[in-house]
Amino acid sequence: MLLFGTKKFVDEAALSALQEKTVTMWKFKLLSILALTVLMSLAASAAQAQGVAMVSLAVDAELGSILADADGNTLYLFMNDEREKSNCSGGCATAWPPLLTDGDPVAGEGVDEGRLGTIARDDGGTQVTFNGWPLYYFVSDEAPGDTNGQAIDNWWVVSEFGGPIQSNALVNIGEDASLGTILVDHSGRTQYLFTPDERDVSNCAGGCARAWPPLLTVGDPVAGDGVNAGRLGTITRDDGSTQVTFNGWPVYYFANDDKPGDTNGQAVNNWWVISEFGGPVQTDAVVGLTDDAELGGILIDESTGRTLYLFTPDERDVSNCAGGCALAWPPLLTEGTPGGAEGLNADLITTMTRGDGSTQVSFNGWPLYYFAGDDKPGDTKGQTINNWWVLSVFGGPIQTDAAVNVSENAEFGDILSDHSGRTLYLFTPDEPNTSNCEGGCAEQWPPLLTSGDPVAGDGASAGLLGTTVRDDGSIQVTYDSQPLYYFAGDDRPGDANGQTLGDVWFVLSPDGQAVMPAAVVVAPRSPSVGDTAIPRLAQGSLVAALVLIASGSLIFFMRRRRTA
């Protein structure tokens, strides 16, 4: 009986303990729920407008100047939003309560009031926007100055310019149906460059930077797939913020791009999307002309004022510069039909399709490029680097200390060429040290121009080299008093497609004589009389040569030459 009673007593005690434990557990759960409810309520109350919302500037030790409310609570933007449209509701809005207002928001000191706005949310609230971005709090920010929401998914603090300040900003490659391969951020938003900028120097501040918010980062930027990490860099802006650069170009957003993939900033004044090579992709690119104090008239990109170059290993309308070469020498790319400024023959401006599918502008058959090392408009730092040269108005290179070499041609033997092996020609209607090839003639037969004294390569005679000043002031190389030319129809080094054209264009032998077909006999060159040397051949004409042989008359030869 005692045993039975003891067992009953134990069972009742266990039951009581279990009940007490259950009650304690429920109390804990209720307290947790209550605490979470209070926390949510506090966060929500911060979001609810208590009168008119104010947007101020706060300074974060790591992130710099960022947007905050009147109490210093950090504000955020959501990269998945669109311009003036929130895509954060339900549970998202619970975690990221919107900044609401009962009237027009007020700008604190340092905040551009013109960039403040409001949108009507689907739940009926009025949310504050800055530069088109809806503004939010983060529920886990416990005190003013907290930035616990930074870099969570697509959430970032907001710069004073109205763009995101990212942690280790990511630069990606995007594909645009019209513009091709261009730079975008991690969310697919288009990136731009500003042509008045200088290398690693931003010239866009104040209102400019609010319309074109710089891509700001905390920490080193990161290259996405297809982006050359070696071309990424940063600069410190005048306000102390850190802006991402690519190939020396400071990188920006456009405030009026509504959503990822928009390119509304393209061709707005001096703003262009950025190619994978780190140069602008222009719309209807325009080739211009400027006068360089040393090099004379040279080609530039009219929009940017930046010098354009040719690459002598290229072929006619074929670029042989890709990969790392194209990063150092970004091609002049265009969407649409390129044009020419006053003073240029627009017919010489064409396009070619690169191996990557982009459209590159060419001039007189030469693909055109920038040099990444040029800091600003007017720079010509690419001149003389390996096989790179600025271009003349005629569409040929202007070389520094132009070299005249001798190359072996399978058909014509040893003939004169430039440093890259491109064939040089003489024009029989020329006079000694005087070019009679101008205008359209010089576009088809670009003169060999130089800045500085020409140089004789192996096999060429330094004593025969000279220069002459053309009517436009440019300096043309001569050889044995004969002005030297290229032929625009030669596709690549070694070509001699201009030989005997019109019976007036000929390649030259190392002694400066025209290389003639076998049937043509060249009259011996007579000694100079005063300052004028007697020409060696009338028009290079086979008929004239035969008449000369038949008659043996030097007078006929000279008359024929003068009447040509």
Side-chain angles (χ1 to χ4, degrees):
M1 188 69 179
L2 180 60
L3 181 60
F4 177 78
T6 301
K7 185 176 188 305
K8 180 179 179 182
F9 175 78
V10 172
D11 288 345
E12 288 177 351
L15 178 61
S16 176
L18 179 61
Q19 289 174 339
E20 184 177 351
K21 183 177 180 181
T22 301
V23 170
T24 301
M25 181 178 67
W26 278 105
K27 284 181 179 179
F28 178 77
K29 287 185 177 180
L30 287 172
L31 286 173
S32 297
I33 293 171
L34 179 61
L36 182 59
T37 302
V38 170
L39 183 61
M40 292 291 191
S41 177
L42 288 173
S45 67
Q48 298 304 314
Q50 302 298 317
V52 175
M54 174 180 281
V55 176
S56 302
L57 277 182
V59 177
D60 181 86
E62 182 181 6
L63 299 168
S65 294
I66 61 176
L67 296 193
D69 71 1
D71 297 322
N73 295 299
T74 302
L75 297 173
Y76 299 85
L77 60 75
F78 184 37
M79 296 295 285
N80 290 3
D81 280 350
E82 300 174 38
R83 182 173 176 79
E84 310 287 358
K85 181 182 178 183
S86 171
N87 290 320
C88 178
S89 60
C92 173
T94 300
W96 302 88
L99 172 61
L100 302 178
T101 187
D102 281 339
D104 291 338
V106 175
E109 186 176 356
V111 175
D112 186 346
E113 189 171 18
R115 295 286 167 177
L116 284 173
T118 60
I119 58 171
R121 292 180 56 82
D122 293 341
D123 57 16
T126 301
Q127 184 172 3
V128 180
T129 65
F130 188 77
N131 226 9
W133 287 104
L135 299 179
Y136 305 82
Y137 297 99
F138 180 45
V139 72
S140 294
D141 282 347
E142 298 176 357
D146 283 354
T147 58
N148 298 319
Q150 173 71 354
I152 293 180
D153 296 327
N154 283 318
W155 293 89
W156 308 98
V157 296
V158 189
S159 77
E160 61 183 299
F161 309 117
I165 302 176
Q166 300 178 41
S167 298
N168 304 116
L170 180 67
V171 177
N172 275 336
I173 290 291
E175 292 294 334
D176 182 86
S178 298
L179 299 168
T181 303
I182 60 175
L183 296 192
V184 299
D185 76 353
H186 76 288
S187 67
R189 289 183 178 267
T190 303
Q191 307 291 282
Y192 298 86
L193 58 77
F194 184 41
T195 55
D197 279 350
E198 301 173 38
R199 182 173 178 82
D200 292 325
V201 175
S202 170
N203 290 319
C204 178
C208 173
R210 295 184 184 98
W212 303 88
L215 174 58
L216 301 180
T217 188
V218 176
D220 293 335
V222 177
D225 289 343
V227 176
N228 187 305
R231 295 290 167 172
L232 281 175
T234 60
I235 58 172
T236 301
R237 294 177 56 84
D238 291 342
D239 56 26
S241 58
T242 302
Q243 183 172 2
V244 178
T245 65
F246 188 75
N247 224 10
W249 287 104
V251 177
Y252 305 81
Y253 295 97
F254 181 43
N256 287 334
D257 278 347
D258 295 335
K259 58 187 179 300
D262 282 355
T263 57
N264 298 325
Q266 173 70 357
V268 175
N269 297 327
N270 290 310
W271 293 90
W272 308 99
V273 298
I274 310 172
S275 77
E276 62 184 303
F277 309 116
V281 180
Q282 299 187 38
T283 300
D284 303 326
V286 177
V287 178
L289 183 65
T290 194
D291 188 54
D292 181 85
E294 180 182 357
L295 299 169
I298 62 174
L299 298 193
I300 59 171
D301 167 17
E302 184 75 4
S303 168
T304 68
R306 291 180 181 261
T307 303
L308 296 173
Y309 298 85
L310 60 75
F311 184 42
T312 53
D314 279 351
E315 302 173 37
R316 183 172 180 82
D317 291 322
V318 176
S319 170
N320 290 319
C321 177
C325 173
L327 288 166
W329 302 88
L332 173 58
L333 302 180
T334 189
E335 179 246 344
T337 304
E342 185 177 355
L344 291 179
N345 185 347
D347 292 338
L348 298 182
I349 302 171
T350 56
T351 61
M352 44 153 286
T353 302
R354 293 177 55 85
D356 56 26
S358 58
T359 302
Q360 183 171 1
V361 181
S362 61
F363 188 80
N364 213 10
W366 287 105
L368 299 180
Y369 305 83
Y370 302 98
F371 177 46
D374 281 346
D375 294 334
K376 57 187 180 301
D379 281 356
T380 57
K381 294 181 177 179
Q383 176 75 352
T384 77
I385 294 180
N386 296 331
N387 290 309
W388 294 91
W389 309 100
V390 297
L391 291 89
S392 74
V393 65
F394 309 117
I398 302 175
Q399 300 179 39
T400 300
D401 302 326
V404 175
N405 292 337
V406 173
S407 297
E408 184 178 354
N409 182 281
E411 184 176 358
F412 306 116
D414 288 342
I415 59 174
L416 296 190
S417 64
D418 76 352
H419 77 289
S420 66
R422 288 185 177 266
T423 302
L424 297 172
Y425 299 84
L426 60 78
F427 182 42
T428 57
D430 280 350
E431 301 169 37
N433 296 312
T434 301
S435 170
N436 289 319
C437 179
E438 302 286 350
C441 172
E443 290 167 351
Q444 289 301 308
W445 302 88
L448 173 60
L449 301 180
T450 189
S451 167
D453 294 332
V455 177
D458 290 342
S461 172
L464 296 180
L465 278 176
T467 60
T468 182
V469 179
R470 295 176 56 84
D471 290 345
D472 59 11
S474 58
I475 299 174
Q476 185 172 0
V477 179
T478 63
Y479 196 81
D480 195 22
S481 302
Q482 289 287 337
L484 298 180
Y485 305 82
Y486 296 99
F487 177 45
D490 281 346
D491 294 336
R492 62 187 66 83
D495 282 357
N497 299 324
Q499 172 68 347
T500 72
L501 282 185
D503 288 337
V504 293
W505 292 97
F506 298 93
V507 298
L508 294 87
S509 65
D511 61 1
Q513 300 298 306
V515 177
M516 297 289 180
V520 177
V521 178
V522 182
R525 183 164 184 151
S526 301
S528 296
V529 178
D531 292 332
T532 304
I534 299 172
R536 64 173 67 88
L537 182 65
Q539 288 243 16
S541 165
L542 177 61
V543 174
L546 293 174
V547 171
L548 178 61
I549 295 169
S551 65
S553 173
L554 180 60
I555 295 175
F556 176 83
F557 174 81
M558 295 179 68
R559 284 179 180 168
R560 180 70 173 171
R561 177 65 178 86
R562 284 197 299 269
T563 58

